[in-house]
Amino acid sequence: MKPIQVGLLGIGTVGSGVYNVLSRKQEEIHRRAGRGIEITMVADLDVERAKGLVGPDVQVVQDARAILANPDIDIVVELIGGYGIAKALVLEAIAAGKHVVTANKALLAVHGTEIFAAASAKGVMVAFEAAVAGGIPIIKALREGLTANRIQWIAGIINGTTNFILSEMRDKGLDFDVVLKEAQRLGYAEADPTFDIEGVDAAHKVTLMSAIAFGIPVQFDKAYVEGITQLGAADIKYAEQLGYRIKLLGITKRADKGIELRVHPSLVPTKRLLANVEGAMNAVVVQGDAVGTTLYYGKGAGSEPTASAVIADLVDIARLHTADPEHRVPHLAFQPHTLDEAMGTLPVLPMSEIVTSYYLRLRVADQAGVLAKVTGLLAEAGVSIDAVLQREADEVGGEGSTQTDLIILTHDIREGTMDAVIAQMQQLPTVLAPITRIRKEELN
Ligand code: HSE
């Protein structure tokens, strides 16, 4: 059978990884896919640089549409990123009858419904293993390996930049701003790190996992997104003293009334494997009713780890290229006509309806009755306390200090209830600063 022909849109870090790994593995990939997979065209704005990265047989063009117009190209690999030109090119590639492989989580989390519908109508595949957790085959695991399961919840460290920053903050006792600068200097954080540090990148990824796990459309607009910019070294230290680490988690959970979909810093018990994922590594825990708890760990970014995921998609497409579209694995794991129906029974819940436990830090006047007042308000609202930690005033505010930190861990409670109690506690004259609230996930 003649080799399947691939056109790359963009040859940066990931694109060159795809080219190199594919070139190195031609023979083995042929044995796996049943035919060769060849990159025959590359489009990049910097044609000269691109020519230096590929062999002489590859046609390098500046205009991506030259790839879409070539009838010999079977698969387009989109590695441009973002929602702008990438969206137009993906839709045009689909309209031209090409299969698409993309690492673009932002595009699919925001415009996935439109893109998957266009692909289904045209009978082509849109594969996106590289969009979530880089080299970890989590999409394949959720969509195929765990297909017998009713997924209960997923919790993942799915942004390496923020995990690196949090690991450094904990290790060195440094504040966020200092570590961010260091991460940028070392190339772990981008010059504009907004999507990473504000939790947006993780929210794109958990939105995709949520859709596949629960059979609902991608709904990034309903995700709750909170990053790590407000985290202080003190909270990381207190959490450690209580037996927890703070991680930026992407969480999606099947609850009584619908689906929780959220990204925010979370306390995770130090004894959990997820709490021990350090540096830029990624990990995802999936809880299914039949399989129990499963854990996937690996590199979430980088040239060849991400290429590993892109090439897995290319091999899948090479194998399924000639199958009837209705016999292929659905883009979002469930048959497309069932997704909208599921919106009715499995709505994404507002944050006030989620149920979790909390870490609260209150800067309080160090005087009699303060603790009683605070715990009294919690008791009145039905919030059960799991642990309390109070530091010596001297330790917190220096010698002679009249202020101290009161740290409270709660049991599970509805977030709307927690919000109301925090507002009441904030009114107490002995509470001297805005209350810090960090959610806590026991993951058991
Ligand atoms: N910027 C992402 C991260 C990698 O830091 O994990 C690409 O999704």
Side-chain angles (χ1 to χ4, degrees):
M1 203 183 280
K2 84 175 181 46
I4 203 155
Q5 296 199 22
V6 178
L8 287 191
L9 308 186
I11 185 154
T13 310
V14 177
S16 52
V18 173
Y19 182 80
N20 293 338
V21 175
L22 211 45
S23 306
R24 271 203 322 264
K25 304 277 166 65
Q26 266 305 326
E27 197 193 343
E28 180 153 356
I29 284 178
H30 193 298
R31 283 179 62 213
R32 289 180 187 271
R35 61 194 294 193
I37 298 176
E38 287 177 3
I39 294 173
T40 54
M41 284 186 89
V42 169
D44 201 281
L45 291 177
D46 189 341
V47 171
E48 285 317 307
R49 190 190 56 87
K51 278 185 178 158
L53 296 172
V54 296
D57 298 344
V58 179
Q59 188 189 349
V60 179
V61 294
Q62 194 170 47
D63 179 9
R65 291 191 166 92
I67 293 184
L68 310 189
N70 182 345
D72 293 332
I73 296 287
D74 304 294
I75 309 175
V76 168
V77 179
E78 183 273 307
L79 299 170
I80 298 166
Y83 326 97
I85 185 69
K87 182 185 176 201
L89 293 172
V90 163
L91 287 171
E92 285 173 39
I94 291 168
K98 320 272 186 219
H99 302 290
V100 173
V101 174
T102 179
N104 192 337
K105 61 233 77 174
L107 176 64
L108 294 181
V110 176
H111 298 291
T113 301
E114 179 184 354
I115 289 168
F116 296 131
S120 296
K122 196 73 190 176
V124 296
M125 290 173 266
V126 175
F128 54 96
E129 185 64 69
V132 181
I136 305 174
I138 188 64
I139 299 298
K140 190 88 167 173
L142 286 169
R143 191 161 49 189
E144 297 175 50
L146 298 175
T147 201
N149 288 266
R150 188 169 202 265
I151 305 290
Q152 317 282 17
W153 55 261
I154 300 173
I157 294 172
I158 44 181
N159 183 269
T161 305
T162 45
N163 203 51
F164 173 82
I165 292 173
L166 292 176
S167 296
E168 289 289 291
M169 285 174 74
R170 186 180 68 81
D171 254 15
K172 301 184 178 156
L174 295 171
D175 274 321
F176 171 78
D177 294 337
V178 178
V179 178
L180 173 62
K181 284 207 179 72
E182 180 65 358
Q184 284 173 314
R185 196 182 64 76
L186 293 171
Y188 282 107
E190 307 209 14
D192 179 1
T194 314
F195 266 29
D196 292 319
I197 62 178
E198 297 293 356
V200 178
D201 175 74
H204 288 146
K205 294 167 181 168
V206 74
T207 296
L208 291 171
M209 291 197 288
S210 181
I212 295 174
F214 302 118
I216 55 175
V218 285
Q219 297 166 79
F220 174 71
D221 56 335
K222 302 217 177 108
Y224 173 80
V225 190
E226 181 184 320
I228 63 166
T229 55
Q230 302 304 316
L231 275 182
D235 293 310
I236 292 177
K237 189 183 70 186
Y238 290 143
E240 190 86 0
Q241 290 169 4
L242 288 157
Y244 293 85
R245 294 211 175 136
I246 299 181
K247 295 289 182 188
L248 183 73
L249 293 188
I251 297 168
T252 189
K253 208 178 262 191
R254 190 190 291 273
D256 290 345
K257 295 183 187 158
I259 299 297
E260 297 183 5
L261 179 58
R262 49 192 169 99
V263 169
H264 49 70
S266 306
L267 271 74
V268 179
T270 307
K271 63 188 176 201
R272 300 265 176 264
L273 287 169
L274 204 56
N276 293 279
V277 172
E278 299 290 8
M281 299 304 281
N282 280 201
V284 182
V285 180
V286 182
Q287 167 86 22
D289 65 341
V291 73
T293 307
T294 56
L295 169 72
Y296 310 82
Y297 170 86
K299 289 187 178 151
S303 180
E304 296 206 354
T306 312
S308 164
V310 169
I311 294 169
D313 281 344
L314 291 174
V315 171
D316 262 0
I317 292 175
R319 286 170 176 153
L320 294 169
H321 180 55
T322 50
D324 289 340
E326 61 270 28
H327 294 146
R328 297 179 189 145
V329 183
H331 293 116
L332 292 177
F334 290 72
Q335 297 299 330
H337 68 274
T338 68
L339 300 184
D340 285 338
E341 288 164 27
M343 289 255 273
T345 50
L346 293 173
V348 176
L349 298 171
M351 268 316 260
S352 58
E353 289 300 321
I354 72 137
V355 174
T356 190
S357 54
Y358 296 86
Y359 161 103
L360 305 174
R361 177 169 58 81
L362 293 81
R363 177 56 62 94
V364 293
D366 190 16
Q367 63 192 49
V370 173
L371 181 60
K373 282 233 168 55
V374 167
T375 55
L377 288 174
L378 288 166
E380 270 170 39
V383 181
S384 170
I385 294 172
D386 181 29
V388 177
L389 176 72
Q390 187 179 332
R391 309 312 303 171
E392 297 279 341
D394 287 358
E395 199 185 304
V396 173
E399 207 176 312
S401 171
T402 54
Q403 303 182 4
T404 191
D405 278 338
L406 181 60
I407 294 106
I408 299 173
L409 300 184
T410 77
H411 287 297
D412 276 355
I413 187 77
R414 206 179 60 91
E415 176 130 337
T417 306
M418 194 73 245
D419 287 343
V421 195
I422 290 175
Q424 287 173 343
M425 293 192 297
Q426 197 67 73
Q427 296 305 315
L428 295 173
T430 45
V431 173
L432 306 172
I435 296 169
T436 298
R437 171 255 301 272
I438 306 175
R439 298 170 189 89
K440 176 163 85 64
E441 301 295 327
E442 292 295 329
L443 302 178
N444 48 17

